[in-house]
Amino acid sequence: VGALARRAAAPGADPARLTEDCARIDAQIAALQQVNRRILGRLRPAALEEMGLADALEALAQGWREANPRVTITLSLEGASGDIEETTALTAYRIVQEGLANALRHSGADRVDVSVSRARGALHVVVRDNGAGLDATRPPSSGGGLGLRGMSERVGALGGALTLGNDAKGGARLAASLPVRNPGLERC
């Protein structure tokens, strides 16, 4: 913008050229705003804050259903309703988000089941698919993707536990237990 101002003040400034430069700057700003919106959406989904965990997970699953119409995505969200500490809800959302992304991008599954329940002072999140499962020659802890590493760090920071492995029924199973910080909210 400073360079544009200097050009405009220069003798013999070309208004058409200045207009083109302004249009390019405007397009770059619009692109940057889109990137910022995507980043902010990944940091703290607006749906989670506005609708709560259960409805945000419904919206997330619906987006994946629309993008992958041949895959059945089921949700069992009894434990996702009611008051859940913000950090715990965000972590649960991210686990489901990453679990769905991995299942739909890598497993070849035609069914993904997501459940969120509460028991014994914890919020339990499970994403299970009927796809190819995990490569038995490469343990999940051998580096994995950044998404899995990030999930593990988030869950660990809350004092929870995260497991990823092959499900006994076939496919992969991602499970997390997140402590419920308000004992009055836990269900047995």
Side-chain angles (χ1 to χ4, degrees):
V1 171
L4 186 60
R6 286 189 295 279
R7 282 175 125 180
D14 180 3
R17 175 71 191 250
L18 293 171
T19 300
E20 290 173 14
D21 290 342
C22 287
R24 277 195 292 276
I25 290 171
D26 189 47
Q28 289 174 348
I29 290 170
L32 184 58
Q33 286 175 325
Q34 289 289 40
V35 169
N36 283 339
R37 282 188 197 106
R38 283 193 299 266
I39 290 170
L40 290 172
R42 284 189 226 138
L43 292 175
R44 186 170 310 280
L48 184 60
E49 198 168 302
E50 293 171 14
M51 302 185 302
L53 181 58
D55 289 339
L57 291 175
E58 288 280 359
L60 176 66
Q62 185 57 35
W64 280 107
R65 285 181 188 116
E66 290 169 6
N68 301 275
R70 293 188 177 112
V71 178
T72 300
I73 300 172
T74 66
L75 301 174
S76 174
L77 304 175
E78 297 84 28
S81 297
D83 292 331
I84 300 173
E85 182 183 47
E86 182 181 355
T87 306
T88 303
L90 180 59
T91 300
Y93 181 90
R94 293 296 183 214
I95 289 165
V96 173
Q97 184 178 45
E98 185 67 20
L100 285 170
N102 286 341
L104 295 168
R105 290 181 184 149
H106 306 298
S107 76
D110 64 6
R111 181 177 180 90
V112 181
D113 300 311
V114 175
S115 70
V116 179
S117 60
R118 294 189 206 194
R120 296 179 296 284
L123 187 69
H124 301 281
V125 180
V126 178
V127 180
R128 177 181 292 136
D129 69 61
N130 69 348
L134 303 173
D135 183 351
T137 64
R138 185 173 172 224
S141 61
S142 68
L146 291 175
L148 288 173
R149 196 170 305 135
M151 266 193 299
S152 182
E153 289 172 4
R154 283 178 185 264
V155 171
L158 291 175
L162 179 75
T163 60
L164 173 64
N166 286 320
D167 191 67
K169 298 177 184 177
R173 181 179 186 274
L174 173 66
S177 293
L178 308 170
V180 176
R181 303 247 184 257
N182 185 343
L185 299 175
E186 84 179 57
R187 297 180 189 146
C188 293

